[in-house]
Amino acid sequence: MTDPALQDPSTNPAYDNHEQVVRFVLDKEKNIVAYIAVHNTVLGPALGGCRIKKYASEEDALYDVLRLSRGMTYKNAMAGLPLGGGKAVIIADPQAEKTPELMQKFGACVESLSGSYVTAEDSGTTEEDMENIRKSTKHVTGLRPDYLKEHGYDNLGGNPSPLTALGCFEGVKAAVRQRYGRDELTGLKAAIQGVGAVGLSLAGMLQEAGVELFIADINEMNIAKAKEELDSVTVVRPDEIYDADVDLFVPCALGGVLNDETIARMQVDIIAGPANNQLATPEHDEKLAAQNIMYVPDYVINAGGVICVGYEYFMTSGFNPYDFDLTEESMEEHVRTIGDAVEQILTYAKNKHINTGTAADSLAEEKFESEGANSRSRSTAA
Ligand code: NAD
C-alpha cells in the first residue's frame, strides 16, 4: 500500500527533520490517500490522532500532517509522557467516504510502521473508527470503555473530558499563584467561553473553589444545563464574553479566539483554558505579553486528554513504561502534574523575559531533543 508518489516532504514549509513520512494509497479507485508523519520518537512511540478531511490538495494534507505531528512531540513532552509526536491524515470526506473497511486498511498502514506511530481520534474520526483500526493493529488508543471491558481491560479508558478539566484547574491554580502570589482562588472572577464537556466540568471546579462565573455558549441547551448544574452564574452573550470585567478568561470552545480584535478588548490578567490553538498566530502571545496578560500555552494546560489516551495505550499494548500500576489514581496523579508544568513555564518565561509560548517550546525541546533532531521554532498542537 505504500506509494512512491510521496513528494519530497523536506520541501514542504512545515517540514522539521521528521523521522519518517509515509504516503499510503487506501483506495486506488476512489483515489483515497493517507499520510503518516512521525516527527520525533526520542521519548517513545509517536502518539497523535488521525484526521480525516477533504483537503484541497495533497500538499495541504502533507503540510497539516507535518505541522500537527511536530506539535504532538511538544505536547507529549510537556505532558511528561514517554511518548513522541506523530499524526495521520486521510484525504477523504468523513461523511461520504469513510467506511469500516477503509479504517481497517488504515490500521494495516499503522501496523506496517511496527509501533513507531500510535493512532487515536481526531476531527473526522470516532471511537467506532478506532475499533475498526484495532482489527489490524494494536497501535491505537481512544477505544470505547465497553470495548475495552469486553477485551479484558477494565482499569482505564473512557471520556477524557473530566480529566482534561482537572488538568486545566491545576493549570489555573498555578497561574494564579504566579500572578497573585496566592493559593486560594476565592473571590476571583472568570469568563468561561463554552460550557461543553470540558468547560462545564471546569466551571464546576472553579465555582467550588470560590470563583465567580460568567459563561457564554452558542448552544442554548448547554447554557440551560450549566445553569442547572452550577449554583449561580451570569450568562453573557457569546460576542460579549471578551468584554467581561473578570480576572481570568477561560477559552473552552474554539481555536483562533485570541486575535487582534479580541485581545484589544480584554482586560483580564490570565488566560488559561483547554481550547486547542487559541492564538490566531504564534505572534499573538507577544501581544498578550505586551498587554500584561499571562497566557498559559493551550497545548500544555489541555494535556489531560492525551495523558488519558496515553495511559490507555500503555495498558492495551502491554507496555507499561512506569514502575507503578496503571490505575485511575495514578493517571489522575499524572494529570495533576500539569500544574507543575505550567508553573515551570511561567517561571522560565519570567526569568528569561520571553513569552510563555516560547518558554513552553524551549522546555519541551530540552526534553526531546537529541543530536541532529528537529529545529527550534514555534509549535502548534491539536
Ligand atoms: P464540546 O464540543 O463539548 O464543547 C464546546 C462548547 O463550546 C459547546 O458547548 C459549544 O456550543 C461551545 N461553543 C462553540 N462555539 C462557541 C462560541 N463561539 N462561543 C461560545 N461557545 C461556543 O468540546 P469539549 O470537548 O468541551 O472541548 C472544548 C475545547 O477543548 C475544544 O477546543 C477541544 O479541542 C479542546 N480539548 C478538549 C479535550 C477533551 O478532553 N475533550 C482535550 C484537549 C483539548
Side-chain angles (χ1 to χ4, degrees):
M1 264 180 297
T2 312
D3 197 285
L6 169 66
Q7 306 139 16
D8 178 2
S10 69
T11 60
N12 192 289
Y15 181 73
D16 179 46
N17 292 329
H18 285 68
E19 288 178 15
Q20 206 176 7
V21 184
V22 191
R23 178 185 191 269
F24 299 93
V25 177
L26 298 184
D27 188 321
K28 206 165 184 171
E29 257 170 46
K30 292 189 186 140
N31 192 26
I32 299 181
V33 165
Y35 280 92
I36 296 179
V38 172
H39 177 251
N40 184 298
T41 56
V42 169
L43 295 174
L47 169 69
C50 170
R51 180 168 289 192
I52 305 190
K53 189 173 155 181
K54 197 85 199 163
Y55 287 93
S57 69
E58 274 205 32
E59 194 64 23
D60 286 358
L62 183 57
Y63 179 83
D64 224 19
V65 80
L66 293 173
R67 175 183 74 89
L68 295 167
S69 58
R70 178 178 186 273
M72 288 309 298
T73 301
Y74 285 76
K75 181 168 189 155
N76 292 337
M78 280 317 290
L81 287 166
L83 291 168
K87 203 85 184 183
V89 295
I90 299 177
I91 308 170
D93 178 345
Q95 307 298 331
E97 293 176 303
K98 191 173 70 177
T99 61
E101 294 73 33
L102 189 80
M103 297 322 293
Q104 203 174 328
K105 260 193 181 167
F106 172 70
C109 303
V110 173
E111 180 64 18
S112 73
L113 301 184
S114 313
S116 64
Y117 169 65
V118 181
T119 200
E121 258 181 77
D122 200 274
S123 50
T125 51
T126 62
E127 284 177 336
E128 200 180 29
D129 297 329
M130 298 305 116
E131 243 167 88
N132 287 316
I133 292 171
R134 174 87 185 174
K135 289 176 187 159
S136 315
T137 185
K138 67 176 183 191
H139 305 299
V140 53
T141 182
L143 296 152
R144 271 187 312 117
D146 284 353
Y147 176 93
L148 290 168
K149 280 203 180 82
E150 278 160 27
H151 291 78
Y153 305 111
D154 45 14
N155 292 358
L156 302 171
N159 178 8
S161 307
L163 279 183
T164 301
L166 178 68
C168 289
F169 181 59
E170 294 298 329
V172 166
K173 286 198 291 186
V176 166
R177 263 195 303 277
Q178 279 276 332
R179 184 78 195 213
Y180 305 118
R182 60 161 159 143
D183 288 326
E184 300 303 312
L185 303 189
T186 326
L188 292 173
K189 293 181 190 171
I192 302 192
Q193 182 182 44
V195 281
V198 184
L200 183 55
S201 179
L202 179 56
M205 294 176 199
L206 291 171
Q207 185 163 72
E208 204 167 305
V211 177
E212 188 184 338
L213 301 180
F214 295 73
I215 62 167
D217 201 296
I218 52 166
N219 181 331
E220 282 305 320
M221 269 163 51
N222 287 357
I223 286 285
K225 188 170 173 218
K227 280 165 78 176
E228 208 178 285
E229 284 190 20
L230 301 166
D231 285 344
S232 74
V233 287
T234 305
V235 178
V236 179
R237 278 185 28 199
D239 56 344
E240 286 173 359
I241 193 77
Y242 306 105
D243 308 312
D245 181 13
V246 293
D247 309 291
L248 297 149
F249 180 70
V250 187
C252 309
L254 331 153
V257 294
L258 306 178
N259 54 45
D260 287 346
E261 193 249 331
T262 58
I263 292 172
R265 286 163 63 185
M266 276 195 251
Q267 304 292 323
V268 299
D269 291 332
I270 296 169
I271 298 178
N276 275 313
N277 300 319
Q278 292 165 27
L279 299 169
T281 71
E283 289 70 41
H284 279 93
D285 71 1
E286 281 299 341
K287 296 210 164 168
L288 291 168
Q291 224 167 285
N292 197 21
I293 296 175
M294 181 181 271
Y295 166 67
V296 179
D298 47 13
Y299 77 83
V300 179
I301 198 169
N302 73 14
V306 82
I307 293 171
C308 288
V309 291
Y311 270 56
E312 182 193 311
Y313 178 65
F314 299 145
M315 174 180 71
T316 55
S317 66
F319 154 73
N320 177 0
Y322 302 116
D323 58 4
F324 52 80
D325 290 340
L326 301 167
T327 60
E328 290 281 352
E329 292 71 31
S330 57
M331 186 167 74
E332 186 177 316
E333 213 170 293
H334 191 142
V335 169
R336 285 189 188 276
T337 65
I338 289 173
D340 305 331
V342 168
E343 193 128 24
Q344 194 191 8
I345 289 161
L346 298 178
T347 306
Y348 189 85
K350 192 162 97 187
N351 294 344
K352 299 257 176 195
H353 306 288
I354 55 176
N355 65 49
T356 52
T358 307
D361 285 2
S362 300
L363 288 167
E365 281 158 4
E366 278 176 20
K367 290 176 194 280
F368 70 75
E369 237 171 31
S370 68
E371 217 155 291
N374 314 113
S375 66
R376 287 173 184 274
S377 55
R378 296 299 309 279
S379 66
T380 45

